Amino acid sequence: MKKYLLIALIICENLVAFSQSSSEQIAQEKATLPKPYHPEEDGLARIEELILQAKKDNKKILIQIGGNWCVWCLRFNHLVTTDPELKAILEKKYLYYHLNYSPENKNEKAFAKYGNPGEKYGYPAFLVLDKKGYLLATRKTEDMEATNGYDKDKVKKFLQGRLK
Protein backbone atom coordinates (compact mmCIF):
# COMPACT_ATOMS: atom_id res chain seq x y z
CA MET A 1 0.00 0.00 0.00
CA LYS A 2 2.85 2.40 0.86
CA LYS A 3 4.41 1.59 -2.49
CA TYR A 4 1.23 2.70 -4.35
CA LEU A 5 0.96 5.83 -2.26
CA LEU A 6 4.57 6.69 -3.05
CA ILE A 7 3.99 6.15 -6.78
CA ALA A 8 0.87 8.33 -6.69
CA LEU A 9 2.79 11.06 -4.85
CA ILE A 10 5.61 11.00 -7.43
CA ILE A 11 3.10 11.23 -10.30
CA CYS A 12 1.35 14.20 -8.65
CA GLU A 13 4.65 16.01 -8.08
CA ASN A 14 5.61 15.51 -11.73
CA LEU A 15 2.24 16.81 -12.92
CA VAL A 16 2.57 19.93 -10.76
CA ALA A 17 6.14 20.52 -11.95
CA PHE A 18 5.06 20.08 -15.60
CA SER A 19 2.15 22.49 -15.13
CA GLN A 20 4.37 25.14 -13.56
CA SER A 21 6.98 24.67 -16.27
CA SER A 22 4.33 24.97 -18.98
CA SER A 23 2.87 28.13 -17.39
CA GLU A 24 6.32 29.67 -17.19
CA GLN A 25 7.03 28.84 -20.84
CA ILE A 26 3.75 30.43 -21.93
CA ALA A 27 4.48 33.54 -19.86
CA GLN A 28 7.92 33.80 -21.47
CA GLU A 29 6.46 33.33 -24.94
CA LYS A 30 3.80 35.99 -24.34
CA ALA A 31 6.47 38.42 -23.18
CA THR A 32 8.30 38.09 -26.52
CA LEU A 33 5.29 38.51 -28.83
CA PRO A 34 3.90 41.87 -30.02
CA LYS A 35 0.81 43.14 -28.16
CA PRO A 36 -1.67 44.17 -30.87
CA TYR A 37 -4.68 44.81 -28.62
CA HIS A 38 -5.41 48.25 -27.17
CA PRO A 39 -7.58 47.91 -24.06
CA GLU A 40 -8.12 51.70 -23.91
CA GLU A 41 -9.66 51.83 -27.40
CA ASP A 42 -13.38 52.19 -28.15
CA GLY A 43 -13.82 49.16 -30.38
CA LEU A 44 -17.10 50.21 -31.98
CA ALA A 45 -15.74 53.65 -32.90
CA ARG A 46 -12.66 52.02 -34.44
CA ILE A 47 -14.77 49.54 -36.42
CA GLU A 48 -16.84 52.45 -37.79
CA GLU A 49 -13.61 54.14 -38.94
CA LEU A 50 -12.49 50.88 -40.57
CA ILE A 51 -15.80 50.58 -42.45
CA LEU A 52 -15.19 53.98 -44.05
CA GLN A 53 -11.68 52.87 -45.00
CA ALA A 54 -12.91 49.49 -46.28
CA LYS A 55 -15.32 51.23 -48.66
CA LYS A 56 -12.46 53.29 -50.08
CA ASP A 57 -10.07 50.34 -50.32
CA ASN A 58 -12.70 47.79 -51.42
CA LYS A 59 -11.66 45.36 -48.67
CA LYS A 60 -13.29 43.25 -46.03
CA ILE A 61 -12.59 43.75 -42.34
CA LEU A 62 -11.11 40.90 -40.33
CA ILE A 63 -11.70 41.45 -36.63
CA GLN A 64 -9.71 39.27 -34.28
CA ILE A 65 -11.35 39.15 -30.85
CA GLY A 66 -9.21 38.51 -27.79
CA GLY A 67 -6.59 40.28 -25.76
CA ASN A 68 -2.93 40.59 -24.96
CA TRP A 69 -3.60 38.12 -22.13
CA CYS A 70 -4.30 35.33 -24.69
CA VAL A 71 -1.24 33.47 -25.98
CA TRP A 72 -3.24 31.94 -28.85
CA CYS A 73 -4.35 35.44 -29.92
CA LEU A 74 -0.75 36.62 -29.93
CA ARG A 75 0.41 33.52 -31.80
CA PHE A 76 -2.15 34.02 -34.56
CA ASN A 77 -1.25 37.67 -34.97
CA HIS A 78 2.45 36.82 -35.05
CA LEU A 79 1.96 34.18 -37.74
CA VAL A 80 -0.13 36.28 -40.11
CA THR A 81 2.01 39.40 -39.73
CA THR A 82 5.43 37.72 -40.09
CA ASP A 83 4.85 34.98 -42.65
CA PRO A 84 5.30 36.72 -46.04
CA GLU A 85 2.68 34.68 -47.87
CA LEU A 86 -0.01 35.06 -45.20
CA LYS A 87 0.80 38.73 -44.69
CA ALA A 88 0.37 39.37 -48.42
CA ILE A 89 -3.05 37.70 -48.48
CA LEU A 90 -4.12 39.57 -45.35
CA GLU A 91 -3.02 42.94 -46.70
CA LYS A 92 -4.62 42.36 -50.11
CA LYS A 93 -8.04 41.27 -48.86
CA TYR A 94 -8.59 42.77 -45.41
CA LEU A 95 -8.26 45.56 -42.96
CA TYR A 96 -7.06 43.65 -39.89
CA TYR A 97 -8.23 44.81 -36.47
CA HIS A 98 -7.79 43.46 -32.94
CA LEU A 99 -10.94 43.99 -30.88
CA ASN A 100 -10.00 43.89 -27.23
CA TYR A 101 -11.94 41.75 -24.77
CA SER A 102 -10.52 41.96 -21.25
CA PRO A 103 -11.52 42.98 -17.72
CA GLU A 104 -10.20 46.48 -18.50
CA ASN A 105 -12.46 46.87 -21.54
CA LYS A 106 -15.08 44.38 -22.65
CA ASN A 107 -16.11 46.59 -25.61
CA GLU A 108 -19.77 45.98 -24.82
CA LYS A 109 -21.08 48.34 -27.53
CA ALA A 110 -19.17 46.54 -30.27
CA PHE A 111 -20.25 43.13 -29.05
CA ALA A 112 -23.86 44.28 -28.65
CA LYS A 113 -23.84 45.16 -32.35
CA TYR A 114 -21.81 42.28 -33.79
CA GLY A 115 -21.88 39.55 -31.14
CA ASN A 116 -18.92 37.95 -29.42
CA PRO A 117 -18.19 34.49 -30.86
CA GLY A 118 -15.31 34.21 -28.35
CA GLU A 119 -17.86 33.57 -25.61
CA LYS A 120 -19.00 30.49 -27.51
CA TYR A 121 -15.77 29.31 -29.14
CA GLY A 122 -12.99 30.70 -26.98
CA TYR A 123 -10.32 33.19 -27.99
CA PRO A 124 -9.25 34.25 -30.45
CA ALA A 125 -12.41 34.32 -32.49
CA PHE A 126 -13.14 36.28 -35.64
CA LEU A 127 -15.75 38.49 -37.17
CA VAL A 128 -15.57 39.09 -40.92
CA LEU A 129 -17.36 42.21 -42.14
CA ASP A 130 -17.91 43.30 -45.70
CA LYS A 131 -16.88 46.78 -46.85
CA LYS A 132 -20.26 48.16 -45.74
CA GLY A 133 -19.92 46.74 -42.25
CA TYR A 134 -22.32 43.83 -42.62
CA LEU A 135 -21.36 40.70 -40.73
CA LEU A 136 -20.42 37.99 -43.23
CA ALA A 137 -19.13 35.34 -40.85
CA THR A 138 -18.00 34.45 -37.38
CA ARG A 139 -15.13 32.05 -36.96
CA LYS A 140 -13.37 30.02 -34.33
CA THR A 141 -9.70 29.13 -34.61
CA GLU A 142 -9.59 25.77 -32.88
CA ASP A 143 -9.52 23.79 -36.12
CA MET A 144 -6.58 25.87 -37.41
CA GLU A 145 -4.41 25.09 -34.38
CA ALA A 146 -1.30 22.96 -34.45
CA THR A 147 0.79 21.85 -31.45
CA ASN A 148 1.94 25.24 -30.14
CA GLY A 149 0.67 27.49 -32.88
CA TYR A 150 -1.34 27.40 -36.07
CA ASP A 151 -1.24 25.30 -39.21
CA LYS A 152 -0.14 27.69 -41.97
CA ASP A 153 -2.09 25.92 -44.72
CA LYS A 154 -5.34 26.05 -42.74
CA VAL A 155 -4.80 29.72 -41.88
CA LYS A 156 -4.12 30.41 -45.56
CA LYS A 157 -7.40 28.73 -46.56
CA PHE A 158 -9.24 30.74 -43.89
CA LEU A 159 -7.78 34.03 -45.13
CA GLN A 160 -8.65 33.08 -48.70
CA GLY A 161 -12.23 32.36 -47.60
CA ARG A 162 -12.07 28.63 -48.26
CA LEU A 163 -11.92 27.16 -44.73
CA LYS A 164 -15.38 26.73 -43.26
Side-chain angles (χ1 to χ4, degrees):
M1 184 67 149
K2 288 182 182 181
K3 181 178 178 181
Y4 293 118
L5 186 57
L6 181 60
I7 291 171
L9 183 59
I10 291 170
I11 290 171
C12 287
E13 286 175 356
N14 286 332
L15 287 174
V16 169
F18 174 76
S19 175
Q20 289 173 341
S21 171
S22 179
S23 295
E24 290 171 11
Q25 288 172 340
I26 289 172
Q28 288 173 354
E29 179 183 3
K30 282 172 40 177
T32 66
L33 294 170
K35 307 298 184 282
Y37 293 90
H38 300 283
E40 73 285 351
E41 190 169 60
D42 178 338
L44 185 58
R46 183 66 182 123
I47 291 168
E48 289 169 355
E49 292 171 4
L50 289 169
I51 292 168
L52 295 174
Q53 188 65 44
K55 287 177 188 175
K56 290 178 189 174
D57 296 349
N58 194 30
K59 292 183 177 184
K60 295 176 185 173
I61 303 168
L62 179 63
I63 301 172
Q64 181 177 321
I65 302 166
N68 294 326
W69 50 267
C70 168
V71 72
W72 285 96
C73 300
L74 301 180
R75 287 171 178 165
F76 190 92
N77 174 73
H78 181 70
L79 176 64
V80 299
T81 59
T82 60
D83 180 279
E85 183 179 22
L86 296 178
K87 185 176 181 179
I89 295 167
L90 186 66
E91 290 175 351
K92 181 180 179 184
K93 293 186 68 166
Y94 300 97
L95 298 177
Y96 184 35
Y97 175 58
H98 297 85
L99 179 58
N100 185 75
Y101 180 79
S102 67
E104 300 87 18
N105 184 359
K106 294 185 180 183
N107 274 303
E108 292 164 342
K109 291 180 201 172
F111 292 123
K113 184 169 183 174
Y114 294 105
N116 182 354
E119 291 179 335
K120 180 178 180 181
Y121 302 129
Y123 299 93
F126 292 95
L127 300 171
V128 180
L129 307 181
D130 71 6
K131 65 183 176 183
K132 295 180 182 178
Y134 293 111
L135 181 63
L136 297 174
T138 59
R139 187 71 168 81
K140 62 182 177 177
T141 60
E142 179 179 274
D143 54 351
M144 291 186 275
E145 293 175 5
T147 307
N148 285 323
Y150 289 92
D151 180 297
K152 179 184 171 179
D153 290 333
K154 290 180 180 180
V155 172
K156 181 179 174 182
K157 286 180 182 178
F158 164 63
L159 293 176
Q160 292 173 326
R162 299 191 325 235
L163 184 66
K164 302 287 181 189

